[in-house]
């Protein structure tokens, strides 16, 4: 787009190009998909320049139409004078109006060109900001993925205190159950990381559906064998199955498991 606009300037063509709006639309879509905040100065400047371009184009079109009408009216008067020699001469005011309109059009065209140059500059700045945001988001995702992978690898090596868990095997073949979330679990949602909350609810759905793989690695508590513990990375999900319901009791960090076991032992 930059090359097209520069070529139009060299050829002394009107600075606006039909592709600009399409490029700007694609740029906005990129900004939205990369969660780029559209409150940046570059975005505001680009929007203002775009709105100004529309305003100037309308003014220019109105002036050109007025000039055309004035010239047509003057030409009509000249023809009438040629046919009727006794008719009064066309007033000089018409010529002055034509000159004024021509001067206004020249000034507007100059302003249009300058505004488009500003728009192009702001577009480049905003595009760079979007690209930087996309690069930062990609880097953050890579860092987060690496951290999660390292944490998962560590968690595979670290298990819970053996005195808390029973060696009794938990059956992996269960009928479909209705998931029920306890008040304690609901109140803890605001304290849990969003990713953990999503994984917990997803795992609860798999457990309630009787998915065999979801029960792999689960263990019953020594304090209350009705309660089952399942691992979610560094967090622990405590649940129980009764009356065709899967009751989600708590989801806590591994370091808080002892306290959670104490609270759940009364069930």
């Amino acid at each position: 787009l930059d090359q097209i606009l520069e070529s139009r300037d060299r050829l002394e063509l009107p600075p606006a190009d039909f592709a600009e709006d399409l490029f700007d639309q694609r740029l906005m879509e990129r900004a939205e998909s990369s969660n780029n905040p559209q409150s940046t100065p570059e975005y505001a400047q680009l929007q203002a320049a775009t709105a100004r371009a529309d305003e100037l184009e309308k003014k220019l079109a109105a002036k050109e139409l007025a000039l055309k009408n004035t010239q047509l009216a003057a030409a009509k008067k000249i023809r009438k004078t040629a046919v009727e020699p006794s008719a009064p001469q066309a007033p000089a005011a018409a010529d002055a109006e034509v000159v004024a309109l021509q001067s206004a059009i020249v000034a507007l065209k100059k302003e249009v060109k300058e505004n488009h140059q500003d728009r192009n500059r702001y577009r480049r700045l905003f595009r760079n900001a979007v690209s930087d945001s996309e690069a930062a988001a990609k880097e953050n995702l890579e860092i987060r993925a690496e951290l999660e992978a390292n944490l998962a690898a560590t968690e595979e090596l670290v298990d819970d205190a053996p005195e808390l868990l029973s060696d009794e095997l938990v059956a992996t073949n269960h009928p479909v159950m209705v998931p029920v979330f306890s008040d304690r679990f609901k109140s803890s949602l605001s304290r849990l990381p969003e990713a953990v909350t999503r994984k917990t609810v997803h795992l609860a759905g798999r457990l309630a559906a009787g998915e065999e793989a979801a029960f792999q690695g689960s263990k019953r508590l020594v304090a209350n064998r009705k309660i089952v513990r399942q691992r979610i990375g560094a967090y622990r999900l405590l649940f129980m199955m009764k009356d065709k319901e899967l009751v989600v009791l708590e989801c806590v960090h591994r370091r808080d498991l002892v306290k959670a076991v104490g609270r759940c032992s009364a069930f």
Side-chain angles (χ1 to χ4, degrees), residues 155 160 229-231 233-237 250-252 254:
E155 288 298 319
D160 302 320
R229 179 232 65 180
Q230 185 57 295
R231 299 162 57 148
Y235 288 80
R236 302 295 182 260
L237 175 65
E250 281 198 68
C251 182
V252 298
R254 179 172 54 83

Side-chain angles (χ1 to χ4, degrees), residues 82-207:
V83 174
E84 303 176 12
S86 60
Q89 295 293 322
D95 294 335
E97 185 179 357
V98 169
V99 172
L101 286 171
Q102 289 174 335
S103 299
I105 289 173
V106 171
L108 275 174
K109 286 184 176 180
K110 181 180 179 181
E111 192 173 353
V112 166
K113 185 173 182 179
E114 291 174 350
N115 183 73
H116 270 82
Q117 290 172 347
D118 291 339
R119 181 182 179 184
N120 297 338
R121 183 171 69 257
Y122 296 144
R123 183 187 298 110
R124 285 193 292 270
L125 292 172
F126 185 55
R127 185 174 61 226
N128 292 339
V130 172
S131 298
D132 292 343
S133 177
E134 290 173 338
K138 181 179 179 181
E139 184 178 0
N140 289 339
L141 287 175
E142 292 174 350
I143 293 174
R144 189 179 297 114
E146 183 178 357
L147 290 174
E148 290 180 354
N150 292 338
L151 178 61
T154 302
E155 288 298 319
E156 289 297 327
L157 301 175
V158 180
D159 205 345
D160 302 320
E163 63 270 17
L164 296 176
L165 306 174
S166 170
D167 292 332
E168 178 185 351
L169 295 178
V170 179
T172 58
N173 184 16
H174 296 277
V176 174
M177 295 171 281
V178 177
V180 178
F181 298 95
S182 70
D183 292 337
R184 178 175 290 277
F185 174 75
K186 293 176 183 177
S187 64
S188 69
L189 291 180
S190 60
R191 299 189 297 272
L192 292 173
E194 182 180 355
V196 174
T197 302
R198 292 181 183 276
K199 290 179 180 178
T200 301
V201 175
H202 182 236
L203 177 60
R206 294 174 58 202
L207 292 167

Side-chain angles (χ1 to χ4, degrees), residues 24 36 80 85 213:
D24 287 350
N36 181 272
K80 184 177 180 180

Side-chain angles (χ1 to χ4, degrees), residues 39-55:
S39 58
T40 59
E42 296 86 358
Y43 174 78
Q45 291 166 336
L46 176 58
Q47 292 295 90
T50 302
R52 180 62 175 160
D54 294 338
E55 179 186 349

